[in-house]
Amino acid sequence: MEKSPLFTPIAIGKKEATNRLVINAMECCDSDELGNPSPRTYRRYARLFEGGAGVIFLEAITVSYESRARLNQLSIMPHNAKALEKFVTEMKRVNPKPLFIFQLTHAGELSNPEFSRRVCVKPLPGLGGDLLSEEDVDAIVDQFVLGARIAYDAGADGVDVKLCHGYLGTQILRPYNDRPWKYGGPWERRRQFAFEIYERIRKAIPDPNFLLGSKVTMWEGIPGGQGCAGPDTAIMDLSEPLDLLRGLKERGANFVLVSAGNPSLTIALAHPDKRIPDYAYLHHFFQKEARKVLAPEVVTMGSAYSIFRDGNNNFLGVEREKSSLLYWGNKNIEDGVVDMIAIGRQSLADPFLPKKLLEGKPEEVRWCTLCDACMELLIRQQPTGCVVHEKEYAEILRETRKKYGVLKFKHT
């Protein structure tokens, strides 16, 4: 396995990942009351570091506690600084090799009004929220820059400015944001939010070793969504997302994690469904188009690989041995479609997957069954993990269903 493309090192900026496997940022609702890592958070990430992926993303850590999606969400503000430094130190003690990148986020219209302020750039049917002013967004830009500085001081290898999955970065970038203001209307205004954050982070942290990048939705799949041809159509048009990538590259991006969809609105596009998994192939197209723009300076990471498992899946018209995570990861890297592949749900099922594959023990991997019960826990604001392979989370799910009933509407 060592000689396969997945297990070759790769330079990301001035640093090196020991292999091409990436752990996606997976929100798990288990911070303490101050937004700091809890014992459960420590245990989850210690396993991931032991597992030996080349890059590990720290889940959607909010730059604002006023507006957030999860009640027990990790936060990155001055009061969290010491706890985050302790957390990074401990993870690096477990294994110093993986690159540890913090994903910085602001939930915007996806903020939960039960415990925080829901805000928006333009009311979206079914969501809405208090309308953000230009001054509000200027202050949020400040929060992203401060968050990056806290991450740097804590010892993180870099930050991911989240521009995907319907969170604030998406809300500003999408054509639906046709409001005539500093951050809306023409594309040149909508993209400025991301560009300004990048420029200011690079100015605030001049260390060339500090990595900067984003997870980006290429096509949101709703009328007016990110990657659509206009504010009132869902027709795909990648001209804006690709221009965004060029601009991030010009402003010092070291990596881009390519994604699609919006788990709150188009969940099967973001996380392909095991019953109809075909959207995973569309992700390969997005990855290739992104890499054309980004290579060779910027590393292209691709998502939606957990769905392939060990080839035991519901993909049709393909031989099982040519329908696995290993097959598509190696093939897409070899073919220049992508530089690295990211796993999300699979990392909850088996945080030791990279180590097991590297040691040539694929038969020992605990494959994700794609039941999406972890998603149910997330939606219910419960500590989140694999209910199939972890008794602790199976019990949480049982108690949650006993209290709230079975979840009928699966959108985050």
Side-chain angles (χ1 to χ4, degrees), residues 120-335:
C120 68
V121 301
K122 179 186 175 183
L124 188 72
L127 289 172
D130 298 335
L131 199 65
L132 287 167
S133 68
E134 293 180 355
E135 292 74 21
D136 290 331
V137 178
D138 289 342
I140 291 170
V141 171
D142 292 341
Q143 291 174 323
F144 271 94
V145 177
L146 176 60
R149 183 71 215 193
I150 293 171
Y152 176 73
D153 290 340
D157 293 293
V159 292
D160 162 6
V161 177
K162 190 170 187 176
L163 302 174
C164 69
H165 291 181
Y167 291 85
L168 184 64
T170 296
Q171 295 156 32
I172 292 176
L173 287 168
R174 61 169 68 126
Y176 182 76
N177 173 26
D178 58 3
R179 176 179 153 204
W181 64 314
K182 178 180 176 181
Y183 295 104
W187 169 239
E188 290 71 23
R189 290 183 189 169
R190 286 181 279 124
R191 70 182 185 179
Q192 196 53 41
F193 171 76
F195 288 175
E196 185 175 341
I197 291 175
Y198 267 61
E199 290 165 1
R200 288 190 52 195
I201 287 176
R202 282 301 185 204
K203 185 176 180 181
I205 307 170
D207 186 346
N209 293 305
F210 191 64
L211 302 178
L212 178 61
S214 287
K215 189 171 186 177
V216 175
T217 284
M218 299 294 284
W219 180 53
E220 201 173 356
I222 60 169
Q226 196 168 348
C228 291
D232 56 359
T233 177
I235 293 173
M236 187 190 303
D237 183 342
L238 297 185
S239 56
E240 289 183 357
L242 293 176
D243 183 72
L244 173 69
L245 299 187
R246 292 186 192 96
L248 299 182
K249 178 179 178 179
E250 291 167 0
R251 287 160 179 80
N254 303 114
F255 66 88
V256 168
L257 207 169
V258 179
S259 191
N262 177 331
S264 298
L265 303 171
T266 52
I267 191 168
L269 177 57
H271 309 137
D273 192 291
K274 71 175 181 178
R275 294 166 296 182
I276 309 173
D278 312 42
Y279 271 137
Y281 295 136
L282 188 56
H283 281 257
H284 297 172
F285 166 71
F286 294 139
Q287 292 158 24
K288 184 172 184 178
E289 292 304 296
R291 193 175 184 276
K292 288 179 185 176
V293 170
L294 297 171
E297 296 93 340
V298 182
V299 169
T300 304
M301 304 171 180
S303 55
Y305 283 89
S306 293
I307 191 77
F308 292 103
R309 309 178 72 247
D310 58 349
N312 183 17
N313 50 47
N314 290 322
F315 287 92
L316 301 177
V318 61
E319 298 170 17
R320 176 172 173 172
E321 59 269 23
K322 294 183 178 180
S323 186
S324 69
L325 181 152
L326 268 174
Y327 173 82
W328 282 111
N330 283 321
K331 177 176 172 55
N332 284 350
I333 291 170
E334 271 189 330
D335 291 351

